[in-house]
Amino acid sequence: MPAAESSRLSVTLPVEDWLSLMGVMDNEISTAVEDGDPENIVPVANRVRKAAAASAYETETRQLPHDRLTSAELPATDWRYAVLALADWADIGDGMTPGVDPDGSQERELMAAITTQLPDGTMDAD
């Protein structure tokens, strides 16, 4: 197993970005459950969502200020999954009618914010 796979990697983002990542993971979980979760992604998406929530909330009901920077640690494989999920939802946004984020730019900006903090090679497939 490569060293990046066994170690936990820290990413620092504004709370607003953690909330966006939570939303993407909610979508991933919902879609997977509807499809019977054939790829067994619910546990991974749930770990990413929980890490994002822990970084966005002071308590279960008290959200931190949107501009506050907080960090989360996850295994490299979970970060890779999160970035690939963001890419999928950005592509979905490209085909949507005008709305909140019709071109997927929010997801792409979040992808860039995460990947720039990961060591080289983290996004390489096994």
Side-chain angles (χ1 to χ4, degrees):
M1 176 182 297
E5 295 302 317
S6 61
S7 63
R8 295 177 63 83
L9 304 173
S10 181
V11 169
T12 302
L13 299 168
V15 166
E16 182 175 27
D17 286 349
W18 291 120
L19 296 171
S20 294
L21 184 58
M22 286 174 63
V24 169
M25 292 301 109
D26 286 343
N27 290 341
E28 285 285 291
I29 292 167
S30 294
T31 301
V33 168
E34 286 175 11
D35 295 341
D37 198 17
E39 296 176 20
N40 198 31
I41 63 151
V42 170
V44 180
N46 228 359
R47 282 193 306 269
V48 174
R49 189 195 186 288
K50 285 181 181 179
S55 298
Y57 286 86
E58 184 174 10
T59 66
E60 252 183 65
T61 57
R62 185 176 171 156
Q63 196 176 86
L64 294 167
H66 281 208
D67 61 347
R68 180 174 294 171
L69 293 175
T70 61
S71 299
E73 281 189 357
L74 287 167
T77 53
D78 289 3
W79 286 122
R80 185 169 39 250
Y81 170 77
V83 170
L84 293 173
L86 286 163
D88 287 345
W89 286 98
D91 289 345
I92 290 168
D94 284 342
M96 294 183 83
T97 56
V100 175
D101 186 25
D103 62 358
S105 61
Q106 183 177 10
E107 289 85 359
R108 286 187 179 86
E109 288 172 13
L110 185 48
M111 287 169 48
I114 293 170
T115 56
T116 60
Q117 297 180 57
L118 299 175
D120 288 342
T122 303
M123 294 305 300
D124 296 341
D126 295 334

